[in-house]
Amino acid sequence: MITKQKTNRWKYLTQGIILENPILILMIGLCPTLATSTNANNALGMGIAASFVLICSNIVISAIRKFVPDSVRIPIFIIVISTFVTTVDYIMQAYTPSLHKVLGVFIPLIVVNCIILGRAEAFAYKHNIIDSFLDGLGKALGFTLIIVLMGIIREYFSKGAIFGMIIGPKALISNPMLFMIFPPGGFLLIGIFKAIINKFILNKEVVE
Amino acid sequence: MVTNLLLIFIAAFIVNNILLMRYIGLCPFFGVSTSFSTAFGMSSAVLFVMLLSTWVTWILYHFVLIPLDLVFLRTAVFILVIAALVQFVEMFLKKNFKPLYSAMGIYLPLITTNCAILAVTFLVIDYKYSLLQSTIFSIGTALGFGLVIILFSAIRERLEFAPISRSFKGYPIAFIAASLVALAFLGFVGLFGLTL
């Protein structure tokens, strides 16, 4: 029984990273992924901000799930989430003002990020605090992983740098692929990511 | 004055198109752009709700939140007001305007979590627009949303019958098609001196 619970918990944590990756498999939370992954720094900032909100709201919603009447649960989820979003908004404004300025409207928009409301409804409302924390952490890691990966690729091709450090070949720096920093590059990249996932994960499951 | 409003409209409509240039509202974009009729229903519902919610939140922000010094509650208040407004509109249409309700009824609940609506209400405040400018901005944005989603639904309908390799079927090819459409829209940057 205890081992089963342990494997379950391990599954909650790891599932979010690849097999139930919110962006690539569930296809939710696309807006911030595409909009803020123009360089690795912004992507990491967005990833951490959304992760904080996701984990905190999962914990709180799981903690209050027994007092919340079924019929008004969605407005209550939204209030919990928007509390944490406002917190993140003001913390970032105070400590990382330049990042806050770049991310702009996307920080308050975390409140309508489908990943967070989706996990609150599908998981945290039905599971205990520890499981919800692990689930939130797993999904947050999956989200951050993909957004930072996209940030790194887009920054490398558009500036020849990663996290602001110039490492690309001279040819790339003198002729950067500016296309990648603009919206079309983001769409193209996520299309390719999704195709790779289809090739190696989804199709295999269908065959089995 | 008129030039200013026209520029706001064109910027919101094409140059800073909410879907392709700002990347806001992508979930319904890929979800409902599979056929012309759903795309049309969704975009008319967005136009309607976006205009209403921009008015309501603008008035609320300038006449309630600022005088009471409650600006930090902006996020929570706006999302709740929009959710309540959408519910109210749904009930009102169901009772009084049956044909309109049957045209966009099922899209209304989806709109509550559509980030495009919330984003516009935040943007008009961040840009310090007046009520008239906000109105123009939200109409332009909603029409831009409709333009792209309807154009894209035509592409998706063609993609259904195209011979595509198995891994690229469905979402991947839709993203790559969106990338090409976005590339076309990138050509509008610089129109009348408007930039991203």
Side-chain angles (χ1 to χ4, degrees):
Chain A
M1 188 65 204
I2 293 168
T3 32
K4 196 185 163 217
Q5 200 182 10
K6 259 192 180 158
T7 43
N8 256 350
R9 288 207 169 139
W10 183 243
K11 217 175 81 190
Y12 292 146
L13 180 63
T14 52
Q15 238 175 5
I17 299 174
I18 301 285
L19 280 180
E20 274 188 19
N21 187 292
I23 299 170
L24 293 180
I25 310 283
L26 307 176
M27 306 300 283
I28 50 180
L30 290 170
C31 317
T33 316
L34 286 160
T36 59
S37 63
T38 49
N39 70 47
N41 252 337
N42 295 352
L44 190 63
M46 187 67 204
I48 291 172
S51 301
F52 172 79
V53 177
L54 175 56
I55 294 169
C56 291
S57 70
N58 250 13
I59 293 173
V60 170
I61 286 164
S62 165
I64 61 170
R65 71 185 189 281
K66 292 196 176 127
F67 314 108
V68 175
D70 216 34
S71 48
V72 291
R73 63 183 195 284
I74 302 282
I76 290 175
F77 294 167
I78 290 175
I79 291 175
V80 171
I81 295 167
S82 66
T83 312
F84 288 113
V85 172
T86 310
T87 318
V88 165
D89 196 2
Y90 279 81
I91 290 175
M92 288 180 84
Q93 212 169 354
Y95 292 100
T96 54
S98 55
L99 188 64
H100 183 268
K101 208 169 171 202
V102 177
L103 296 183
V105 75
F106 283 95
I107 298 171
L109 281 185
I110 295 175
V111 76
V112 281
N113 189 324
C114 329
I115 300 172
I116 295 168
L117 195 61
R119 287 333 284 171
E121 166 78 9
F123 196 94
Y125 191 56
K126 299 183 188 107
H127 292 78
N128 65 35
I129 297 180
I130 297 171
D131 290 354
S132 303
F133 167 72
L134 290 175
D135 178 76
L137 186 66
K139 293 287 184 288
L141 282 177
F143 175 74
T144 313
L145 185 76
I146 298 300
I147 195 171
V148 171
L149 195 62
M150 281 189 66
I152 287 173
I153 295 174
R154 289 176 76 178
E155 191 180 356
Y156 179 78
F157 283 110
S158 62
K159 290 205 190 87
I162 292 175
F163 284 108
M165 280 184 297
I166 291 175
I167 54 159
K170 274 209 177 85
L172 186 66
I173 294 163
S174 51
N175 294 304
M177 288 172 65
L178 277 179
F179 163 77
M180 288 306 279
I181 211 168
F182 287 119
F187 282 119
L188 185 69
L189 202 58
I190 208 151
I192 292 170
F193 273 17
K194 182 71 184 157
I196 293 171
I197 287 281
N198 277 0
K199 175 90 183 156
F200 290 106
I201 295 179
L202 292 186
N203 285 359
K204 210 166 71 186
E205 276 180 0
V206 171
V207 172
E208 279 166 0
Chain B
M1 184 65 192
V2 178
T3 340
N4 174 281
L5 291 180
L6 199 64
L7 281 183
I8 288 175
F9 178 77
I10 289 174
F13 183 41
I14 297 179
V15 179
N16 282 331
N17 187 284
I18 191 150
L19 282 171
L20 295 175
M21 291 297 137
R22 281 192 205 275
Y23 294 122
I24 294 172
L26 290 177
C27 306
F29 177 46
F30 287 102
V32 303
S33 66
T34 45
S35 75
F36 175 78
S37 59
T38 54
F40 188 78
M42 184 69 180
S43 40
S44 55
V46 164
L47 175 62
F48 189 65
V49 175
M50 197 176 268
L51 198 55
L52 273 182
S53 58
T54 308
W55 281 336
V56 173
T57 52
W58 192 93
I59 290 167
L60 206 63
Y61 186 80
H62 286 271
F63 294 108
V64 178
L65 292 187
I66 287 184
L68 294 179
D69 205 13
L70 288 174
V71 177
F72 66 93
L73 282 180
R74 187 178 77 159
T75 312
V77 168
F78 280 20
I79 181 88
L80 287 177
V81 165
I82 291 171
L85 184 76
V86 170
Q87 287 277 317
F88 178 73
V89 165
E90 196 185 349
M91 286 189 280
F92 182 74
L93 287 183
K94 202 173 184 177
K95 197 156 187 295
N96 298 330
F97 296 95
K98 266 274 165 13
L100 203 58
Y101 177 76
S102 55
M104 59 189 186
I106 55 164
Y107 304 103
L108 283 173
L110 290 176
I111 282 180
T112 317
T113 53
N114 183 341
C115 35
I117 309 283
L118 194 65
V120 168
T121 63
F122 287 142
L123 284 172
V124 296
I125 302 237
D126 288 347
Y127 291 162
K128 300 191 169 58
Y129 280 161
S130 69
L131 189 56
L132 181 62
Q133 286 172 320
S134 306
T135 311
I136 300 291
F137 182 81
S138 70
I139 293 175
T141 306
L143 289 180
F145 181 91
L147 174 76
V148 170
I149 208 165
I150 288 169
L151 278 180
F152 201 67
S153 71
I155 298 176
R156 292 280 293 266
E157 281 178 3
R158 291 293 289 267
L159 284 178
E160 289 284 306
F161 302 106
I164 299 162
S165 86
R166 209 161 65 121
S167 308
F168 276 92
K169 263 209 158 51
Y171 278 118
I173 196 71
F175 275 109
I176 289 166
S179 161
L180 296 175
V181 179
L183 199 59
F185 270 74
L186 204 56
F188 289 115
V189 174
L191 190 73
F192 305 121
L194 296 165
T195 51
L196 276 179

